[in-house]
Amino acid sequence: MCASASARLHARAALLLLAATLIKVLSCGEAMEAAGAGGAGRVRKRYVGLYTGPYFDPSAPNNITAQLGTHAYLPCKVRQLSNKSVSWIRRRDAHILTVDRFTFIADERFQAFLVEATDTWTLQVKYVQARDAGVYECQVGTEPKMSHFVQLNVVVPKIEIVGESDLYVKAGSTVSLKCVITQALEEPAYIFWYHNDERVLNYDRSLVEIRMERLAPDTTVGNLIIYNPRREDSGNYSCAPSNLDSASVVLHVLSGEQPAAMQHGNACARLAARPWPLLAAMAALRPRRALLLLALALLAPLCCHDEGEPH
């Protein structure tokens, strides 16, 4: 079955190259007729020097890096091409992407075009995805075939909001959320901030301030500063760069409560009031961990006491 599939693939490639060659021959015939019957037009050229036919320019790059979501351009510089066809093939599945200017894949992100001034057939990959990374073959329809390989690398930037996923602050204090984007070849055109899916605007800079700064060739930092936050400012905050996914954090604005009490005191009280779910889960744990949880459950009533109760 593998041999049969391979044979079909080669037959398909041969048919595509034949079709492209016929189109070129017909185009050359029309050009000769337009030149007149005096025989001034010639189908083939004679080349002198080291190369007597098509060859790949060794100065063309064979390693291209593109950022996720941007456009990638893979060059194939062929000198003295004459009437030969140029195909682009994806190596991981041997899929023929283009033959000359014709595209043979349903994915509309792929397209080939010729820059005549530099004899370069360029494969364009729009909105690059991580799965597009790999080796691509530029093949010239000579006998035997000539191939030039180009490696496409896809860089996936990282985005995060510095700190914990839940942030506790006192009402009236200043909040600074820092969104850090690293491993990004291109700086985002903007970074939008959202509060519970509603965009944060900095019309009044005495309340909210938004900043963006490029710290390194691959690092951008966006800041959201909230002055004198209130309970209404609590909720989910997310930063959304123009060309990347978003990152989020949950802000809790406390009035008269301490974050430590929220995280530790209440947890202790819950453990003392309802130890049975914890004890029931101990059966699935190793004996040493189960004994540790049992000790915590027994100590919970001792460590949790009402305010004012004598120690």
Side-chain angles (χ1 to χ4, degrees), residues 19-33:
T21 302
L22 288 174
I23 292 172
K24 281 199 170 187
V25 170
L26 292 174
S27 300
C28 290
E30 293 175 359
M32 289 182 63
E33 291 177 4

Side-chain angles (χ1 to χ4, degrees), residues 25-304:
V25 170
L26 292 174
S27 300
C28 290
E30 293 175 359
M32 289 182 63
E33 291 177 4
R42 288 183 298 176
V43 176
R44 301 184 65 180
K45 293 182 180 180
R46 288 186 176 275
Y47 300 105
V48 294
L50 180 61
Y51 298 98
T52 58
Y55 69 95
F56 297 108
D57 191 326
S59 66
N62 57 9
N63 200 307
I64 301 298
T65 300
Q67 181 174 306
L68 182 75
T70 63
H71 295 355
Y73 298 90
L74 282 60
C76 181
K77 187 176 292 187
V78 187
R79 303 293 190 183
Q80 302 179 175
L81 181 62
S82 186
N83 63 343
K84 302 301 181 181
S85 294
V86 175
S87 306
W88 277 100
I89 302 169
R90 186 169 57 196
R91 291 289 294 174
R92 66 177 168 85
D93 56 1
H95 199 303
I96 299 174
L97 304 175
T98 63
V99 178
D100 293 336
R101 289 186 174 87
F102 301 96
T103 303
F104 293 93
I105 186 172
D107 192 336
E108 297 180 353
R109 298 180 304 119
F110 292 90
Q111 173 188 346
F113 58 88
L114 171 64
V115 181
E116 294 185 5
T118 58
D119 296 328
T120 303
W121 277 98
T122 300
L123 177 67
Q124 180 188 47
V125 186
K126 298 180 180 179
Y127 309 108
V128 170
Q129 302 173 9
R131 61 186 176 89
D132 293 327
V135 177
Y136 292 79
E137 177 184 356
C138 173
Q139 188 180 94
V140 177
T142 56
E143 288 297 337
K145 300 290 188 297
M146 298 170 52
S147 295
H148 172 72
F149 300 96
V150 180
Q151 171 73 41
L152 174 60
N153 308 297
V154 179
V155 174
V156 181
K158 295 182 179 180
I159 175 172
E160 65 172 348
I161 297 179
V162 178
E164 300 293 333
S165 58
D166 285 85
L167 179 63
Y168 295 86
V169 299
K170 292 182 181 180
S173 61
T174 299
V175 178
S176 178
L177 302 180
K178 183 178 292 185
C179 180
V180 180
I181 304 166
T182 56
Q183 300 181 15
L185 302 179
E186 297 186 11
E187 181 179 8
Y190 56 81
I191 297 177
F192 286 160
W193 286 90
Y194 293 90
H195 175 217
N196 294 333
D197 297 327
E198 182 177 348
R199 187 179 164 191
V200 179
L201 302 175
N202 59 339
Y203 291 141
D204 188 349
R205 298 206 172 193
S206 65
L207 298 177
V208 174
E209 188 174 354
I210 297 176
R211 304 172 183 170
M212 190 176 79
E213 183 180 6
R214 188 75 164 173
L215 296 183
D218 67 343
T219 304
T220 301
V221 175
N223 266 102
L224 172 63
I225 303 174
I226 306 173
Y227 300 102
N228 300 313
R230 300 169 298 172
R231 289 291 294 270
E232 295 78 17
D233 294 318
S234 297
N236 182 279
Y237 284 83
S238 59
C239 66
S242 59
N243 55 350
L244 297 172
D245 292 332
S246 60
S248 61
V249 65
V250 179
L251 177 66
H252 304 271
V253 181
L254 310 175
S255 55
E257 294 177 297
Q258 296 293 334
M262 292 281 294
Q263 297 178 16
H264 301 293
N266 288 354
C268 181
R270 287 195 300 269
L271 180 60
R274 301 184 61 191
W276 305 115
L278 179 63
L279 296 177
M282 288 165 46
L285 299 176
R286 295 178 180 178
R288 186 174 180 180
R289 294 183 179 180
L291 289 175
L292 178 60
L293 290 178
L294 177 61
L296 290 174
L298 294 175
L299 290 174
L302 301 179
C303 70
C304 301

